[in-house]
Amino acid sequence: SCAYTTDRAMCEKQGRLFTFAAIVDSAGLLGDAAKGCGYQMMCNLGRNVQGICPDGWRIPNYDEYTTLIEVMGDEGIAGRNLKAVEYGGTDSVGFSLLISGRHIEFQRLSSPENLYEFMDNSANLWTITESTSDAVLAYRFFADYDYVGQDMCSKYIAHPLRCVKGEASRLAPGQFAPEAVVKGTFTDSRDGNVYKTVQIADQVWMAEYLRYAADGVAVCYDNLEENCAKYG
């Protein structure tokens, strides 16, 4: 639906409001990658989902919004820098975010009901990062406040979508691929003890406890040498 109305002019300005099933192309109108995915279903579609975005563009991940917000001054003031001037923002980088509300369609008795709410109050922007089978992680922008709040979008409620260009990194920040871990060994030149090592991202760790016999300051558990060999 159009933002807050069926008026074509409002659609031109605010864009449309989409359910989660619509943004991932659950109906398979543009492809089969997310066919059947929607409400009450954990889809786990990955980090590169075109959905209904144009070719070369995709649905953003939650961590990509997190990065954007950090770059724009963090949660306390990012809204001011990203919002359009008409919503009290400075629009300092031309992101021109509009506060377009949301739409809920539901059945009440035998008559369909359409509820538009939060126009000129707040807006959640879709991400592809699911929280539960019913909700997706999001950030909420406000007309009257500069801060940006962490939130969740209900999959059956229609929210606005901004697409992002290019492929996402294979892993979100803070994650790593287990197959990329490098295992090795290290020999302590002081006493000849050989230790297993593991490299995780840019850090190399001992994969065993230190066994160095520091006189007077180190003991084996229960004074048993076999405990030193296993536990350090």
Side-chain angles (χ1 to χ4, degrees):
S1 67
C2 297
Y4 227 72
T5 179
T6 57
D7 179 48
R8 172 64 62 179
M10 184 64 77
C11 267
E12 290 295 326
K13 176 183 178 182
Q14 298 277 25
R16 295 183 181 272
L17 302 174
F18 306 90
T19 63
F20 186 74
I23 69 164
V24 300
D25 189 26
S26 176
L29 300 177
L30 303 174
D32 296 330
K35 199 167 184 177
C37 180
Y39 185 56
Q40 293 187 329
M41 181 183 298
M42 198 76 172
C43 301
N44 294 316
L45 295 174
R47 291 179 56 76
N48 284 286
V49 180
Q50 178 178 346
I52 60 170
C53 291
D55 287 344
W57 297 74
R58 58 180 171 78
I59 303 167
N61 291 283
Y62 180 73
D63 61 84
E64 291 170 324
Y65 267 115
T66 299
T67 298
L68 174 65
I69 289 165
E70 289 175 350
V71 169
M72 298 310 300
D74 223 331
E75 293 181 15
I77 62 170
R80 180 200 313 165
N81 295 320
L82 293 171
K83 286 187 301 183
V85 174
E86 66 183 281
Y87 292 104
T90 63
D91 201 13
S92 59
V93 295
F95 197 75
S96 303
L97 189 138
L98 304 177
I99 306 299
S100 54
R102 67 183 191 178
H103 173 250
I104 306 172
E105 183 175 326
F106 57 95
Q107 294 286 334
R108 181 176 293 168
L109 299 178
S110 59
S111 302
E113 298 287 339
N114 293 293
L115 175 63
Y116 292 93
E117 60 183 5
F118 300 142
M119 178 68 158
D120 296 333
N121 179 290
S122 65
N124 282 6
L125 276 66
W126 279 120
T127 79
I128 197 62
T129 308
E130 295 170 288
S131 172
T132 68
S133 61
D134 298 337
V136 170
L137 293 175
Y139 280 98
R140 191 173 187 178
F141 293 81
F142 302 88
D144 296 332
Y145 306 101
D146 292 334
Y147 77 88
V148 183
Q150 297 182 31
D151 207 344
M152 291 191 293
C153 289
S154 295
K155 289 183 178 180
Y156 68 92
I157 296 177
H159 300 280
L161 171 66
R162 292 277 183 110
C163 299
V164 64
K165 192 174 184 179
E167 287 199 5
S169 59
R170 189 166 62 90
L171 298 169
Q175 296 182 340
F176 67 95
E179 63 270 19
V181 170
V182 178
K183 297 180 179 180
T185 59
F186 160 76
T187 301
D188 189 338
S189 61
R190 298 171 300 178
D191 56 14
N193 267 306
V194 178
Y195 299 92
K196 296 177 182 177
T197 63
V198 59
Q199 180 176 340
I200 304 171
D202 295 328
Q203 297 181 330
V204 179
W205 287 85
M206 284 183 174
E208 300 175 84
Y209 288 125
L210 186 68
R211 295 188 292 272
Y212 180 61
D215 292 338
V217 295
V219 296
C220 300
Y221 192 86
D222 274 347
N223 290 318
L224 297 175
E225 283 298 324
E226 56 264 34
N227 284 334
C228 266
K230 179 177 181 179
Y231 297 106

